[in-house]
Amino acid sequence: MTRIPGAQESVHPTQTPISWRRNLYALSIAQVLAIVGFTLRDSFLPFFLRDIGAEEIESAALWSGLVQAGGAGVMAFAAPVWGIVADRKGRKPMVLRAMFAAMITIGLMGFVVAPWQLVVLRMVEGAFTGTVAASTALVASTAPRERLGYALGLIQTAVFVGASFGPFLGGLLAGNLGYRPTFFVAASFLGIAGILVHFAVRERFVPAPPGDVRGFAAIKASRSWLLAPIMVTMIAVLFVSRFAQMGVRPMTPLYIAQLGDLPDARAASVTGLAFGLMGVTSAMASIYLGRRGDSVGHEKILIFSVLGAGVIYLPMALIQAPWQMVLLQALFGFAAGGMIPAANAIIASHTPPERRGAIFGVTASVGSIGAFIGPLVCAGIAATAGFPATFVFVGLVLVVLAGALIAAISRQQADASPKHINSV
């Protein structure tokens, strides 16, 4: 892999004798708990919206898209700011801020009585959360360079494990306890995660020297590596991956209910199973492909994952029964598990260690923009052309991205001098 000038090899002040493995494992467990808390609502959110005013299926789909997009849109502006604060004040405080803020906002969702109130709370959530970006920045700043693929893959595995249990458990809880109590259970998961990070994670943070360029000026001064073609390509990958995943997620429960003519409670359970299996396969793929990328190159893993995701999305437009969606979601998980860890590893390897809080704030912002636009675009397509057209559109976007990725990486490797080529 080609290194961009300025991506320092020296050990950053945060990389002290503190065991990076201890932090990695504690953060991974905390991320599982946090993502379970975030995703408990995914399998029943459209049905909850129908209960509080969005009675028609088209209305429920649009409000679900607004709920997802509202939080992502605000996070797009907030994430770079929190990333800069992380580089100034430390990465652990940012993880704690994100987890405890989510605990409060998700708990309050159990009291809403109208769809617009849920949208507002998601926007507040987007402004103050971002557990994955904060944890990724902390891990990327402490793990040895030669283990970045493994470390970032494990964090992403934790995300997928949480995403596998969350919707499934949420469907069960919603069917047995009701929608509102499930929000309170979700909040408790975030609180436990925050407590774990507070007591188990250690960070001896030493800020950059006073004369060093900071904040947005640091990002502006780093354009030589931030705007390098390979970095721009990776940022595009993160944008499209979030666009695709979050674009169809709010309407999947409604699609499953329509396919099987299922009552809401049953559709929520089947949706939880589909998302759960996707999380399991994503977790398996993430840890394996993260390690594999350390040896064969993360570019190869990334191309395979993006192309595979697009090919798997297309048949979702042709399915005739809920079980087929469950199966395809599980297959999609294998491809999804390789995308984000590979892109993050490539980004981290091209970023100076003292700037990784800022760059992962930028990438979180880009991903949030994708998560903001995706639900709006896909909800509009679903409301006007039907659910199958949405999956065709997303699948084609991913296939086109794979082609662009192949061209960009081939060009970058052709331009690279052999003496600068290193593996991550």
Side-chain angles (χ1 to χ4, degrees):
M1 177 183 297
T2 303
R3 296 274 299 172
I4 298 297
Q8 301 173 5
E9 297 294 338
S10 60
V11 178
H12 187 248
T14 57
Q15 292 180 293
T16 62
I18 288 178
S19 172
W20 65 272
R21 294 179 184 274
R22 172 195 171 110
N23 282 353
L24 175 62
Y25 299 147
L27 284 167
S28 297
I29 295 172
Q31 274 302 307
V32 171
L33 295 171
I35 300 302
V36 168
F38 279 118
T39 58
L40 278 178
R41 59 195 171 188
D42 286 357
S43 58
F44 67 83
L45 183 62
F47 309 126
F48 179 58
L49 286 165
R50 292 171 72 169
D51 277 2
I52 60 176
E55 298 180 359
E56 300 298 326
I57 190 169
E58 294 83 5
S59 177
L62 287 172
W63 276 109
S64 295
L66 287 173
V67 170
Q68 293 288 358
V74 174
M75 185 177 287
F77 293 97
V81 175
W82 291 124
I84 291 167
V85 174
D87 285 340
R88 291 180 174 180
K89 304 297 183 182
R91 283 74 187 232
K92 178 181 173 180
M94 298 301 99
V95 179
L96 294 174
R97 176 262 309 160
M99 289 181 172
F100 287 124
M103 177 189 71
I104 295 171
T105 55
I106 292 176
L108 290 175
M109 289 178 186
F111 297 102
V112 302
V113 295
W116 69 266
Q117 296 171 354
L118 203 59
V119 174
V120 170
L121 283 174
R122 272 290 287 131
M123 294 175 70
V124 175
E125 180 183 310
F128 291 97
T129 61
T131 64
V132 177
S135 298
T136 300
L138 179 53
V139 168
S141 299
T142 57
R145 180 174 178 270
E146 66 274 10
R147 304 305 303 276
L148 270 177
Y150 165 71
L152 294 175
L154 188 58
I155 285 292
Q156 198 61 42
T157 295
V159 173
F160 288 132
V161 169
S164 69
F165 286 107
F168 180 69
L169 180 60
L172 293 178
L173 291 173
N176 290 278
L177 299 179
Y179 299 140
R180 295 183 187 277
T182 303
F183 283 109
F184 304 141
V185 174
S188 70
F189 274 97
L190 270 301
I192 294 170
I195 292 171
L196 175 61
V197 171
H198 176 72
F199 287 105
V201 174
R202 299 287 182 267
E203 181 189 23
R204 293 175 185 166
F205 180 75
V206 179
D212 197 14
V213 181
R214 296 183 174 190
F216 287 104
I219 295 178
K220 183 178 180 181
S222 303
R223 285 177 295 181
S224 61
W225 53 267
L226 183 59
L227 297 181
I230 189 65
M231 294 289 280
V232 173
T233 302
M234 293 306 104
I235 289 173
V237 168
L238 293 176
F239 170 84
V240 174
S241 66
R242 290 284 287 170
F243 177 98
Q245 291 180 21
M246 301 310 298
V248 301
R249 196 174 185 90
M251 65 196 62
T252 299
L254 298 171
Y255 188 34
I256 288 175
Q258 186 182 82
L259 285 171
D261 194 22
L262 301 176
D264 290 356
R266 176 63 176 163
S269 297
V270 175
T271 303
L273 176 62
F275 288 162
L277 286 177
M278 183 184 71
V280 170
T281 55
S282 295
M284 295 168 57
S286 183
I287 191 65
Y288 171 74
L289 294 177
R291 285 180 180 271
R292 187 66 176 162
D294 284 335
S295 59
V296 304
H298 295 287
E299 295 91 344
K300 293 180 181 178
I301 300 298
L302 186 58
I303 291 171
F304 166 80
S305 300
V306 173
L307 181 60
V311 170
I312 293 169
Y313 251 108
L314 292 173
M316 293 182 188
L318 305 175
I319 59 178
Q320 302 295 319
W323 69 265
Q324 295 169 345
M325 174 59 81
V326 173
L327 177 61
L328 286 173
Q329 287 287 316
L331 292 175
F332 172 73
F334 284 109
M339 284 194 288
I340 296 178
N344 280 339
I346 294 171
I347 288 170
S349 71
H350 286 77
T351 304
E354 67 274 12
R355 299 288 180 236
R356 285 176 181 166
I359 188 57
F360 282 112
V362 171
T363 59
S365 175
V366 170
S368 295
I369 293 172
F372 169 73
I373 297 175
L376 295 179
V377 171
C378 292
I381 294 174
T384 56
F387 294 123
T390 304
F391 290 97
V392 171
F393 172 76
V394 172
L396 291 176
V397 168
L398 286 166
V399 170
V400 170
L401 174 64
L405 185 61
I406 292 171
I409 291 177
S410 297
R411 188 182 308 113
Q412 185 256 344
Q413 291 177 341
D415 293 341
S417 171
K419 64 180 180 180
H420 290 147
I421 297 178
N422 299 297
S423 60
V424 175

